[in-house]
Amino acid sequence: MKVTISAKKVVTFDFDNTLTSESYREKSDIPKPNVLIVSKFKEYKSIGARVYIVTRRFEDERSKKQIDDFIRKYKLPADGVYFTNMILKAQKLKELESIIHYDDSPEEIEEIKRSEEHTSELQSRQYLVCRLLLEKK
């Protein structure tokens, strides 16, 4: 399925178990990518979207290095990385004006759905996607 999105819109992706095929907070190796999601990340960027990684991880040197190493190894054209320090991501996604968010966490998706400005679009075993309805009509 071809991705369609107008240029300069914001799309966000969770890191652990979404961009990666596994969580590796405790590991030193760079995890394998979730190939489908990494290709979506690159596709959105190729059509002009601003693409960010938003993670609940704490913003510490180890997490920064692990994510930076992953970005470099798999050549992800990220416009930035945001750490929410274990706080649910809904507020940060709203601040970024994200219109689509990819995440594996049902807890995150439920929090996003609680907001009047967000609604769930797609759920599958591999990942969850929320389309964030922030555009003015």
Side-chain angles (χ1 to χ4, degrees), residues 33-81:
N34 178 330
V35 176
L36 175 63
I37 301 301
V38 166
S39 73
K40 288 287 185 196
F41 189 105
K42 291 178 178 180
E43 189 174 352
Y44 281 118
K45 188 63 183 165
S46 75
I47 61 172
R50 290 179 310 199
V51 184
Y52 298 103
I53 296 170
V54 180
T55 178
R56 275 176 68 180
R57 286 179 175 217
F58 285 105
E59 187 173 2
D60 58 33
E61 290 308 311
R62 190 174 89 194
S63 287
K64 287 179 187 179
K65 181 180 179 343
Q66 288 176 332
I67 293 172
D68 193 47
D69 288 349
F70 184 88
I71 288 170
R72 267 197 309 280
K73 181 171 183 173
Y74 298 109
K75 298 175 174 55
L76 289 181
D79 290 300
V81 178

Side-chain angles (χ1 to χ4, degrees), residues 1 3 9 11-12 16 22 35 38-39 42 50 53 62 72 79-80 88 93 95 113 118-120 122 127-129 132:
M1 184 169 90
V3 172
K9 297 298 182 186
V11 180
T12 52
D16 293 295
E22 61 187 340
V35 176
V38 166
S39 73
K42 291 178 178 180
R50 290 179 310 199
I53 296 170
R62 190 174 89 194
R72 267 197 309 280
D79 290 300
L88 293 173
L93 301 179
E95 290 169 15
K113 285 166 55 175
H118 302 81
T119 185
S120 178
L122 170 70
Y127 59 90
L128 299 172
V129 179
L132 309 177

Side-chain angles (χ1 to χ4, degrees), residues 92-108:
K92 177 53 72 179
L93 301 179
K94 184 176 177 182
E95 290 169 15
L96 291 170
E97 298 181 357
S98 176
I99 63 165
I100 299 174
H101 178 67
Y102 287 77
D103 208 302
D104 69 309
S105 169
E107 181 183 22
E108 291 287 355

